Amino acid sequence: MIRIQQIKVPIEHEKKELEYKISKLLRLKPSQQFTYQIKKQSIDARRGQEPVYVYTVDVDLDMEADKEQKLLSKIHNKNIMSTVEQRYQFPQHGTVRLKHRPVIVGSGPAGLFCAWLLAKYGYQPMVLERGKKADARKQDVERFWLEGILDVRSNVQFGEGGAGTFSDGKLNTLVKDPAGRNRFVLETFVQNGADSSILYVNKPHIGTDRLIQVVSNMRDEIIRLGGTFCFETCLTDLQTDGGKICSVTAEHAGNKRQIPTELLILAIGHSARDTFEMLLGHSLRMEAKSFAVGLRVEHPQKMIDLHQYHGAVQKLPPASYKVTASYQGEHRQRGIYSFCMCPGGYVVNASSEQGALAVNGMSYQKRDGKNANSAIIVSVTPDDFPGGGAHPLNGIAFQRALEKRAYALCGGSIPQQLYGDYKIGKVSDSYGEFASQAKGACAFADLSGLLPNGMKQAFVAGMERFGGYIKGFNRYDAILSGIESRTSSPVRILRNERYESTVAGIYPCGEGAGYAGGILSAAMDGMKVAEAVGERFLAPV
């Protein structure tokens, strides 16, 4: 296999133009047949040049390795090389036979991919999910946005697919991946209905509308392979014997039952606050961890496109951005950065508790909304929490306090304010040149007192800095919505190098346990835990 990097073609091009470039770069005869696979597609839109697509492709010439090497030796191009694709392998060679089925708590990316692998290799996992199936969950979420009726077990945070289902379906990660897990996750999504472009676009995303069907299809396949899903079923307690898990208590429709298991995988998500409280009473070591909070900021998508593409008028996808800065306050330095940027997206009410409000961002697959939005967040450490980091759940208390204040500002509607008014503490009375694109009722309020401990100053400093990066980012009528508090888990459940907690047989994984930061990294962490199971245990008979 030959890999070619840095193939540049016009934005509006046909397949044959890319194939011509491949043939020319490899100096092939017109009659020479080949197949190729796109490995990466990005846009080069640097100032002073026409934007182009840049491809990396793997080419199969259907020839013996020595002939391929002879061909390469004549080309002398640093962007053309021999390559061998790394295929993912599940390390199944355990020796201890499980007596009972593994129990997985949570059907977000970590739980879903853990269940996918365990089902594929015969372990017949049982998945407990407090929320509903994706389709029913979608109805509950849309009713909440339209009517304000919150179901605390079926919402943006809880239900099949996890919190990422109602975001943008972004599949970016900085996790190093020599084992091929990244590719496996993307290929699995495609097998279950995602667009094949996620296999190669530079910043892949699925979109909320498509992701709902993808996770449903994955669930159906896991069931076909012998797995079981128990929806609207919440883990309420666990039982141990000699420092080992022996069973769990699950509640469905007010009825509790005990499920024997010697293998419990906790893929509980970052918002399962009652579960964290229960686990703390069972000798699972946890610690408070740093995360970030802030406000979601909307701009016209056209403004972002004009800046990122330098005024180019070709047919280009909605542009994204990533901005970072630091701020030195009176007592500490804080990072300020964009998070969960949604091109052509919507601000959504992402609440999961009565009397508390949190926001998030969401895009559909086409990303055809009028606005771009992103959380602009400020780093917080356990020193910011009430009581500091002495108690593992003090970060949750910090989140809750912010969310209750946000709820109180407008009685449960999303509180909003123009950025210029935010700086001077004035309640906005109307939008400026563009209106908010939001899911859920909105109302104007003064958000300037929402962020504690000098974080407003850090937020404003970041916005002003970002205005130097992207013209108009700090415009007066940029729309702020609050509060963005669920950026990542404020808790880490400690585990050893075998992914096992301080209680034997319990495996914490994913974003909620403090080991991931998005759909892709959570899915990969769920895979790692499934691998740890495969290395130690044989499937139950």
Side-chain angles (χ1 to χ4, degrees):
M1 190 81 74
I2 297 174
R3 175 161 293 177
I4 309 177
Q5 299 174 331
Q6 292 294 311
I7 305 176
K8 298 182 179 182
V9 296
I11 292 298
E12 297 189 43
H13 66 277
E14 296 181 1
K15 181 180 177 182
K16 64 182 180 181
E17 293 178 72
L18 178 59
E19 293 172 349
Y20 172 77
K21 287 259 188 175
I22 293 170
S23 181
K24 186 176 180 181
L25 286 165
L26 293 179
R27 302 177 187 173
L28 302 179
K29 296 178 180 178
S31 60
Q32 174 70 59
Q33 299 295 310
F34 64 89
T35 59
Y36 67 97
Q37 185 178 63
I38 299 172
K39 304 301 291 187
K40 185 178 179 181
Q41 178 201 69
S42 59
I43 296 173
D44 184 350
R46 283 174 289 185
R47 189 181 298 277
Q49 65 177 39
E50 287 294 314
V52 293
Y53 275 117
V54 182
Y55 286 96
T56 296
V57 300
D58 283 353
V59 183
D60 185 359
L61 297 175
D62 192 23
M63 62 173 56
E64 295 175 357
D66 58 336
K67 290 184 178 180
E68 187 176 280
Q69 288 301 318
K70 186 177 180 180
L71 178 90
L72 290 174
S73 67
K74 297 178 179 178
I75 294 175
H76 303 297
N77 186 327
K78 66 179 181 180
N79 290 316
I80 303 176
M81 66 209 74
S82 181
T83 186
V84 177
E85 186 173 7
Q86 175 65 47
R87 301 299 300 177
Y88 173 74
Q89 297 291 326
F90 183 75
Q92 188 185 29
H93 48 75
T95 57
V96 179
R97 178 74 66 183
L98 290 172
K99 296 179 181 178
H100 304 97
R101 302 163 68 182
V103 174
I104 300 172
V105 183
S107 65
L112 197 60
F113 273 86
C114 186
W116 179 268
L117 284 180
L118 292 181
K120 185 176 181 180
Y121 290 96
Y123 290 83
Q124 301 177 0
M126 176 183 290
V127 181
L128 308 182
E129 169 56 61
R130 74 169 69 204
K132 296 180 182 179
K133 293 181 181 180
D135 286 343
R137 178 189 181 197
K138 178 176 180 285
Q139 294 175 15
D140 291 335
V141 169
E142 290 180 344
R143 182 169 61 252
F144 172 54
W145 288 339
L146 289 171
E147 304 173 19
I149 301 171
L150 175 66
D151 184 332
V152 296
R153 288 196 175 185
S154 179
N155 47 61
V156 172
Q157 306 296 343
F158 298 134
E160 186 175 30
T165 302
F166 290 92
S167 62
D168 187 53
K170 283 178 284 295
L171 301 173
N172 304 332
T173 182
L174 298 177
V175 175
K176 300 295 183 182
D177 182 42
R181 297 186 188 94
N182 185 323
R183 182 77 179 183
F184 180 87
V185 172
L186 297 178
E187 289 176 345
T188 302
F189 280 141
V190 170
Q191 291 167 17
N192 287 280
D195 192 272
S196 60
S197 64
I198 68 170
L199 296 173
Y200 56 81
V201 294
N202 187 40
K203 296 180 179 179
H205 87 289
I206 297 179
T208 289
D209 45 345
R210 183 65 70 88
L211 192 56
I212 289 170
Q213 188 57 55
V214 170
V215 298
S216 299
N217 290 344
M218 289 186 67
R219 176 238 303 157
D220 290 343
E221 178 64 7
I222 289 168
I223 292 172
R224 190 189 70 80
L225 293 170
T228 302
F229 281 77
C230 303
F231 290 103
E232 300 179 70
T233 301
C234 189
L235 174 71
T236 59
D237 204 359
L238 53 86
Q239 293 75 42
T240 60
D241 184 12
K244 299 179 181 180
I245 184 71
C246 59
S247 64
V248 300
T249 302
E251 180 181 339
H252 172 76
N255 299 313
K256 293 184 178 181
R257 63 169 171 147
Q258 206 161 305
I259 304 168
T261 187
E262 63 266 47
L263 199 60
L264 175 64
I265 295 159
L266 295 173
I268 56 178
H270 58 44
S271 295
R273 293 165 173 174
D274 54 345
T275 306
F276 287 122
E277 292 169 2
M278 179 273 290
L279 294 173
L280 194 61
H282 286 283
S283 302
L284 266 78
R285 286 189 59 198
M286 293 186 259
E287 63 183 15
K289 62 179 278 289
S290 300
F291 61 110
V293 299
L295 304 172
R296 193 150 283 267
V297 183
E298 292 180 82
H299 300 95
Q301 181 63 49
K302 287 184 178 179
M303 184 195 92
I304 302 300
D305 292 344
L306 285 171
H307 180 273
Q308 297 297 78
Y309 296 140
H310 306 297
V313 296
Q314 291 97 330
K315 188 176 181 180
L316 291 163
S320 63
Y321 61 80
K322 182 177 181 181
V323 288
T324 64
S326 62
Y327 173 75
Q328 182 65 54
E330 292 184 14
H331 304 293
R332 74 188 70 175
Q333 185 171 346
R334 296 188 187 273
I336 312 102
Y337 51 97
S338 56
F339 170 80
C340 186
M341 193 271 151
C342 298
Y346 298 82
V347 173
V348 304
N349 190 329
S351 303
S352 62
E353 293 184 347
Q354 299 290 358
L357 185 142
V359 298
N360 195 8
M362 180 187 85
S363 294
Y364 295 116
Q365 185 189 24
K366 290 184 178 180
R367 288 179 164 175
D368 55 0
K370 295 180 180 179
N371 293 355
N373 73 71
S374 176
I376 300 300
I377 52 177
V378 180
S379 60
V380 298
T381 70
D383 290 338
D384 293 301
F385 306 159
H391 192 282
L393 305 187
N394 281 350
I396 291 177
F398 177 81
Q399 283 180 323
R400 273 188 169 136
L402 292 177
E403 291 168 12
K404 287 180 178 180
R405 277 156 49 188
Y407 183 95
L409 284 174
C410 298
S413 296
I414 298 172
Q416 295 187 326
Q417 189 173 20
L418 302 188
Y419 174 61
D421 293 335
Y422 176 81
K423 290 192 289 184
I424 61 176
K426 172 181 175 286
V427 177
S428 303
D429 53 20
S430 65
Y431 296 120
E433 293 183 5
F434 68 105
S436 176
Q437 297 266 283
K439 300 288 187 179
C442 302
F444 288 118
D446 185 4
L447 303 178
S448 62
L450 198 52
L451 295 174
N453 304 341
M455 293 179 198
K456 175 188 174 181
Q457 289 84 350
F459 177 88
V460 170
M463 287 290 293
E464 294 303 309
R465 181 80 61 82
F466 303 152
Y469 303 158
I470 299 174
K471 185 178 180 181
F473 200 92
N474 59 338
R475 57 192 285 171
Y476 193 105
D477 64 349
I479 304 166
L480 311 184
S481 299
I483 189 164
E484 183 94 17
S485 52
R486 309 282 183 96
T487 57
S488 64
S489 180
V491 182
R492 178 174 287 113
I493 305 174
L494 301 186
R495 66 187 189 189
N496 60 25
E497 67 281 355
R498 297 200 302 182
Y499 301 93
E500 197 170 21
S501 77
T502 48
V503 175
I506 297 182
Y507 293 77
C509 71
E511 190 165 344
Y515 296 99
I519 291 174
L520 196 54
S521 60
M524 292 165 67
D525 199 60
M527 291 176 64
K528 292 176 184 177
V529 169
E531 291 161 16
V533 172
E535 288 175 348
R536 294 182 64 185
F537 300 102
L538 292 169
V541 177

